[in-house]
Amino acid sequence: MLGLVEFGWTFVFQIVNFLILYFVLKKYLFKPITGYMSNRTEKIENAFKDAENKTKEANELYEEYKLKLENIKEERNNIIKEATRRAEERSDEIIKVAEEDAKKLVERATQDIEREKQKAVNELKDQLSSLAIITASKVIEKEIDQQTHQQLIQKFIDEVGEVTWQN
């Protein structure tokens, strides 16, 4: 015995047994475990890649929706501006129509007043002429010719009409 290990047939059988055991374990144990570990590593890497892709997609969708939201806000502002503009135009149109109606109403009222004024003047002249005729006939009981009579009436109407309407 030279040391702990003796070289002989036992040592050779032990090495052969070890090699057989190693190859059997390698074929039936190490390969499946290594394959399983490779598959597991590959699945984990794929999961990380999928997570990265989904994160990229989510960021892209976020940016897309953010842009759409800005466009919607801009569109909303445009719609509000357009509605305000149309309301102002309608308001201006209504005011214009109301002013025109008021002008027409004032013109009609002025015309009615003028007509009534003229009617009153005519009635007053008729009454004055009747009154002048009655007064003249009572004051003058003598007979006058028709032409002088008409001149007196006209003179009376002119004088009374001028004085009355100047006041």
Side-chain angles (χ1 to χ4, degrees):
M1 250 183 112
L2 289 170
L4 290 174
V5 178
E6 234 182 86
F7 291 106
W9 285 106
T10 311
F11 182 71
V12 174
F13 281 123
Q14 284 179 349
I15 290 183
V16 170
N17 279 338
F18 177 74
L19 290 175
I20 290 172
L21 182 63
Y22 174 75
F23 287 119
V24 168
L25 287 176
K26 183 179 176 185
K27 182 171 183 164
Y28 293 109
L29 184 63
F30 295 147
K31 273 191 178 180
I33 289 176
T34 307
Y36 174 77
M37 294 302 277
S38 296
N39 283 341
R40 182 74 177 137
T41 304
E42 188 177 316
K43 285 180 182 179
I44 291 172
E45 287 175 357
N46 287 339
F48 279 123
K49 287 179 184 176
D50 285 346
E52 285 178 21
N53 289 339
K54 291 193 189 252
T55 303
K56 285 181 185 177
E57 287 178 20
N59 287 336
E60 289 173 2
L61 284 173
Y62 174 75
E63 292 299 322
E64 182 180 330
Y65 286 126
K66 190 176 174 182
L67 183 64
K68 284 182 180 181
L69 184 61
E70 289 174 12
N71 289 339
I72 288 171
K73 286 179 182 177
E74 184 177 325
E75 186 177 336
R76 177 201 63 195
N77 290 339
N78 289 339
I79 289 171
I80 290 171
K81 285 179 186 176
E82 179 65 21
T84 304
R85 183 190 61 79
R86 277 189 266 140
E88 287 175 357
E89 285 178 359
R90 182 68 179 138
S91 172
D92 292 343
E93 184 179 310
I94 289 171
I95 290 171
K96 185 179 177 182
V97 167
E99 287 174 350
E100 288 175 2
D101 288 347
K103 284 180 184 177
K104 288 178 184 177
L105 189 61
V106 167
E107 287 175 8
R108 257 188 263 135
T110 305
Q111 289 173 355
D112 288 346
I113 290 171
E114 194 61 39
R115 255 194 314 272
E116 290 298 320
K117 180 181 170 183
Q118 189 62 40
K119 186 177 171 184
V121 167
N122 289 339
E123 285 178 7
L124 185 59
K125 283 184 179 181
D126 287 343
Q127 288 176 357
L128 286 176
S129 63
S130 297
L131 185 60
I133 292 172
I134 293 170
T135 306
S137 64
K138 287 188 178 184
V139 170
I140 305 173
E141 292 195 355
K142 62 181 176 172
E143 199 166 305
I144 325 177
D145 63 78
Q146 186 66 22
Q147 186 179 0
T148 309
H149 183 45
Q150 286 296 327
Q151 287 175 351
L152 285 173
I153 292 173
Q154 191 60 41
K155 184 178 175 186
F156 179 75
I157 290 174
D158 289 341
E159 287 175 4
V160 172
E162 293 279 329
V163 171
T164 305
W165 293 113
Q166 287 178 0
N167 292 334

